[in-house]
Amino acid sequence: MPTGTSSWTSNDLPSFAGRTVVVTGANSGLGRIAAGHLARAGAHVVLAVRDLDRGRTAAASMDGDTEVRRLDLADLSSIREFADAWSGDIDVLLNNAGVMHVPEGRTADGFETQFGTNHLGHFALTDMLLPHIRDRVVTMSSLLHRMGSIDLDDLNWERRSYNRSAAYNQSKLANLLFSLELQRRLTRSGSSVRSMAAHPGYAATNLQSRTDNRLLDAAGAIGNRVIAQSAEAGAWPLLFAASLELPGGSYVGPSQLMESRGHPALAGRTAAASDLDLAEKLWDASTTLTS
């Protein structure tokens, strides 16, 4: 449960003038909303997207200084190309992009699609961009991390019978463990860069309707209309974690109805998401997979 409450909204976002922010998955959903608010707050916002045309359409709808660059988190060569082309500082990296409950599949490098995109893609991107980052990294997790478990012997579902929900939950738990271990390593190295995490609660986005399963898509559409909070409110925890003076390792989510909706506040982690030994082991496995 949250450790505090607030009335914070995107209207309280401070000035980002002179700052550079990279947002993955910024062509739609929460990433697009967050990118738009950050651009209006004065940031130079880089929309890191797989589809350049959709990214340019999104950027054209935003007021402020934006730039679109191609990034496919399901392809390590695309991540390396993005990182190699980067020069200059990055104040904030928002690891927002993700896929949810998709059918069994493989990334360009043979990783299970959800683990490979949601976790390994952002793990590799952060590692490659870290020398440029000056303030913080914010990684998007999910309430569903609470149902997740990490199978270090079968991270890519090569031995188990595939379960799309369990695979998604594993990837979201991995996001939290990554943010935890990243902060531990930053602290140990004496870096002032902070690692944060956030989750949107239950927010109405297109993520729930891109499962390639008619029943799941229909259920997601109904849930978005009847239960979910708006995508605008779902983006608040990401913006809160990106802008407030919070300690490294903070995790932000909605403050009401078991963290499913409301204004952003510090959120709770499961015991698994706080397991430092598991976080280190996952880091080592992720390094091996993406090297």
Side-chain angles (χ1 to χ4, degrees):
M1 294 295 294
T3 58
T5 59
S6 75
S7 59
W8 197 94
T9 74
S10 55
N11 291 329
D12 298 304
L13 195 66
S15 172
F16 267 69
R19 308 186 78 198
T20 296
V21 182
V22 175
V23 185
T24 69
N27 62 312
S28 65
L30 304 180
R32 181 170 181 165
I33 292 169
H37 285 305
L38 289 163
R40 279 192 292 275
H44 172 65
V45 179
V46 178
L47 288 73
V49 299
R50 185 173 58 181
D51 187 322
L52 287 174
D53 287 338
R54 292 182 66 203
R56 293 182 184 116
T57 298
S61 71
M62 299 175 187
D63 296 326
D65 182 13
T66 60
E67 177 185 354
V68 180
R69 297 197 188 192
R70 187 177 185 279
L71 172 68
D72 184 352
L73 289 163
D75 186 344
L76 288 176
S77 66
S78 174
I79 297 169
R80 291 190 188 99
E81 184 177 355
F82 182 95
D84 288 345
W86 192 271
S87 61
D89 292 343
I90 299 170
D91 293 284
V92 180
L93 170 62
L94 296 186
N95 289 327
N96 161 79
V99 293
M100 181 180 182
H101 295 168
V102 295
E104 183 173 12
R106 298 284 150 181
T107 69
D109 304 283
F111 308 136
E112 185 275 316
T113 302
Q114 297 184 92
F115 184 73
T117 304
N118 298 350
H119 168 62
L120 290 175
H122 284 124
F123 176 88
L125 177 69
T126 303
D127 179 63
M128 294 178 196
L129 291 179
L130 199 56
H132 299 280
I133 298 172
R134 296 294 172 258
D135 184 3
R136 70 188 76 185
V137 178
V138 183
T139 301
M140 184 71 91
S141 183
S142 166
L143 270 175
L144 290 175
H145 90 271
R146 294 180 174 279
M147 301 176 66
S149 61
I150 302 290
D151 187 338
L152 290 168
D153 295 322
D154 191 22
L155 291 168
N156 285 300
W157 295 81
E158 296 165 326
R159 302 184 185 92
R160 293 172 286 172
S161 177
Y162 185 71
N163 181 307
R164 66 173 79 200
S165 295
Y168 177 76
N169 299 345
Q170 176 184 253
S171 75
K172 293 289 101 179
L173 175 56
N175 287 148
L176 267 182
L177 289 168
F178 162 62
S179 71
L180 185 69
E181 179 65 10
L182 176 58
Q183 182 58 53
R184 190 181 71 83
R185 290 172 181 250
L186 289 167
T187 300
R188 187 174 62 188
S189 71
S191 173
S192 63
V193 174
R194 287 167 286 179
S195 173
M196 313 287 197
H199 78 83
Y202 186 179
T205 72
N206 57 8
L207 198 64
Q208 293 95 335
S209 59
R210 292 185 173 178
T211 68
D212 288 335
N213 180 290
R214 288 184 179 180
L215 288 177
L216 287 176
D217 287 352
I222 293 170
N224 281 353
R225 289 196 299 270
V226 177
I227 303 172
Q229 67 176 348
S230 67
E232 165 68 24
W236 292 346
L238 192 65
L239 292 167
F240 188 96
S243 62
L244 268 69
E245 284 304 311
L246 301 170
S250 294
Y251 180 38
V252 178
S255 59
Q256 299 171 5
L257 290 178
M258 296 183 291
E259 300 182 14
S260 66
R261 59 171 57 240
H263 298 282
L266 294 180
R269 295 170 176 263
T270 60
S274 306
D275 188 331
L276 293 173
D277 181 61
L278 180 59
E280 184 175 18
K281 289 177 178 176
L282 177 63
W283 183 286
D284 292 341
S286 301
T287 299
T288 299
L289 288 167
T290 57
S291 297

